[in-house]
Amino acid sequence: MSSSTLTLVLRHAGGSAGPDAAPDADLLRRFAATRDEPAFAELLRRHGPMVWAACRHLLPAHADAEDAFQATFLALTRAAGSIRRGDAVGGWLHGVAV
C-alpha cells in the first residue's frame, strides 16, 4: 500500500461515525453474515487508528507497518464469523496486529 493510500484510509477511518452507532458486536455480526461493507468500514473507522499505532510502534519500517495493518484487517475478513466476543473486536484486532 502506498503511503498516500494508507493516509487516505486512515483519514477516512478518522471521519464521523456511520449511519448508525451500532455496537462492535452488531457490526461484526453483520459483516460475518452478509459481508456488509458499511459495517466493515465502521469497524475500520473505529479501530484502524489503534491498529496503525500498534503496527508503527512495533515495526520501524513504514512499509512493514503498512503490511501488518493490511494483514490485520485481512485476518478480520477471514475470521469474522469465528470471533467469539464481538464486543472485544478491538482487543482481538490489537492482538492480531501485535
Side-chain angles (χ1 to χ4, degrees):
M1 178 183 299
S2 73
S3 183
S4 61
T5 303
L6 183 61
T7 301
L8 178 64
V9 167
L10 290 174
R11 187 177 316 133
H12 176 71
S16 62
D20 62 71
D24 284 351
D26 291 347
L27 295 170
L28 184 62
R29 195 174 309 114
R30 284 178 17 206
F31 179 72
T34 64
R35 292 306 202 219
D36 183 330
E37 288 184 29
F40 183 83
E42 179 61 13
L43 289 169
L44 175 63
R45 185 198 71 77
R46 290 179 187 180
H47 302 291
M50 175 271 302
V51 170
W52 177 243
C55 293
R56 283 298 292 154
H57 177 74
L58 294 167
L59 298 164
H62 190 83
D64 292 340
E66 288 178 345
D67 289 346
F69 178 86
Q70 290 179 56
T72 299
F73 282 97
L74 179 60
L76 177 62
T77 67
R78 292 183 175 167
S82 65
I83 298 172
R84 287 179 277 166
R85 291 198 52 220
D87 60 330
V89 71
W92 185 91
L93 285 165
H94 185 268
V96 171
V98 169

